[in-house]
Amino acid sequence: MSISNAALLAGIERGLVTADQAQGLRDLERTRTAVLDVEPQDDEKFRFISGFSDIFVTIGLGLFIGALGYFSAEFIGGVGMCIVIAVASWLLAEYFTRKRRMALPSIVLLLAFAAAVFGAVALALDPRLGISSALAEDSGWPIVVAGLVTAGATALHYWRFRVPITVAAGVAALVAAAVGLVFTAAPDLITQVAKPLLLICGLAVFALAMRFDLSDPQRQTRRTDIAFWLHMLAAPLIVHPLVSGLIGEGGPEAVAAWSILAIFIGLALVAVLVDRRAILVSGLSYAGFAFGSLVVKAGLSDSVVPLTMLVLGALVLLLSAGWHSLRRALLSRLPDALAGRLPAHT
């Protein structure tokens, strides 16, 4: 914490420091501030962990909730297990989230709570869901109801604890409800409409994330953390239908590989414009699966796959090195009204 000029003047009056010493302290503060100003700063701040105590507590939570779930399932079944986990996660959040404000434990507890609520409702309505992950012809409604109830529960959780990832968890529950609703309405067409539906949901989530981003261009409030998690959710919802469609068409591996690369170049441009590396990180995880499938199909005999991976890796490194320069160049080509609404850090 820096010493204010008023404190220095008071120190001179009381004889604690001389005028020369006070001026020397002012010069030192200006020099230190100038050095700090030229240090690189992370434009995409992410409140994930505040110290090793977060990791330590998270390990304890994992052990405790895991054991609690095991014994609950043994004695009161799957629905009872989910209810116990949901209640325990809420009560633990009262201390570790509301009182201690620990970032990583809060994220884990929220995810455990949301998953437990979803599982409790879905299993209560259709116990078969605990046996097989495949949807039966009449099992769409339990997913719809579970998604809606989970969305409501996460809204209540956010009102109480204000954990930024809660909004993304609630939106994910709504996406699950939408998928269940379409499956219930047209079970015979689910294979044809699943990918377009996920893509539409992904674009909707991205639009919601941008709404939060545009409302806080300086990224100084909780809205920027909410936007971060929404971008993390939107990216796989957008990328997965596109990439899985290319792999599943059975066409030449070379065409699929270069098409995937083109998708990620477009994704990278969007990420740079909105200044969200999270879009690339979430999408690249799906690219790894896509490239793995291509390698298996190619039998390692085609050089296109490793070449594409090489280009993709080079793209990520180049983006990391020239992120700000590229962003300034792209923003300069946008209309002033649009560029002025995007995050200002360049």
Side-chain angles (χ1 to χ4, degrees), residues 8-331:
L8 290 175
L9 292 176
I12 295 173
E13 292 176 358
R14 296 183 183 183
L16 299 177
V17 294
T18 65
D20 291 338
Q21 290 173 334
Q23 185 60 42
L25 289 173
R26 294 189 189 97
D27 294 340
L28 178 61
E29 176 63 18
R30 281 195 293 269
T31 303
R32 188 182 66 87
T33 303
V35 172
L36 290 177
D37 287 342
V38 300
E39 290 180 355
Q41 297 181 357
D42 188 1
D43 300 335
E44 196 170 5
K45 296 180 176 63
F46 174 39
R47 300 173 181 89
F48 184 76
I49 182 172
S50 56
F52 186 76
S53 60
D54 281 33
I55 299 176
F56 187 72
V57 170
T58 301
I59 294 173
L61 290 174
L63 294 173
F64 178 78
I65 293 177
L68 190 64
Y70 172 80
F71 287 114
S72 300
E74 288 289 322
F75 291 104
I76 55 178
V79 176
M81 176 196 69
C82 291
I83 294 175
V84 168
I85 291 177
V87 172
S89 299
W90 184 286
L91 294 177
L92 289 167
E94 289 288 346
Y95 178 74
F96 292 107
T97 301
R98 188 171 176 82
K99 186 175 181 179
R100 294 282 304 276
R101 308 305 300 175
M102 303 183 77
L104 184 58
S106 299
I107 293 172
V108 172
L109 288 171
L110 176 276
L111 294 177
F113 173 78
V117 171
F118 187 92
V121 177
L123 290 176
L125 296 176
D126 190 354
R128 294 173 300 173
L129 294 174
I131 302 174
S132 174
S133 60
L135 290 175
E137 291 185 359
D138 57 345
S139 65
W141 279 115
I143 300 298
V144 176
V145 176
L148 294 177
V149 172
T150 303
T154 53
L156 185 62
H157 193 282
Y158 183 78
W159 172 79
R160 177 67 175 172
F161 301 109
R162 301 291 180 180
V163 181
I165 193 177
T166 310
V167 177
V171 171
L174 292 177
V175 171
V179 173
L181 183 61
V182 171
F183 180 84
T184 301
D188 296 333
L189 300 178
I190 190 63
T191 55
Q192 289 81 13
V193 302
K195 292 175 182 177
L197 175 62
L198 290 178
L199 180 60
I200 293 173
C201 289
L203 293 174
V205 175
F206 176 77
L208 180 61
M210 289 305 304
R211 182 183 179 90
F212 280 99
D213 258 341
L214 294 177
S215 67
D216 183 21
Q218 300 299 325
R219 295 184 174 172
Q220 297 177 344
T221 69
R222 185 184 290 110
R223 291 192 295 270
T224 187
D225 295 330
I226 295 174
F228 171 88
W229 289 109
L230 288 172
H231 280 300
M232 289 290 288
L233 174 63
L237 289 175
I238 294 172
V239 175
H240 178 69
L242 298 176
V243 172
S244 61
L246 290 171
I247 296 175
E249 291 177 353
E253 285 81 1
V255 175
W258 286 110
S259 299
I260 292 171
L261 180 60
I263 291 173
F264 280 95
I265 290 176
L267 194 67
L269 293 176
V270 173
V272 172
L273 281 174
V274 301
D275 202 15
R276 282 294 183 186
R277 296 166 183 82
I279 297 176
L280 284 177
V281 172
S282 185
L284 284 172
S285 62
Y286 277 79
F289 290 107
F291 285 129
S293 300
L294 291 175
V295 169
V296 172
K297 287 184 178 182
L300 297 177
S301 60
D302 193 344
S303 62
V304 174
V305 172
L307 176 61
T308 307
M309 294 179 68
L310 178 65
V311 173
L312 183 62
L315 173 64
V316 172
L317 294 176
L318 288 173
L319 283 173
S320 177
W323 186 274
H324 297 289
S325 299
L326 179 59
R327 189 162 189 270
R328 283 193 293 268
L330 291 175
L331 288 176

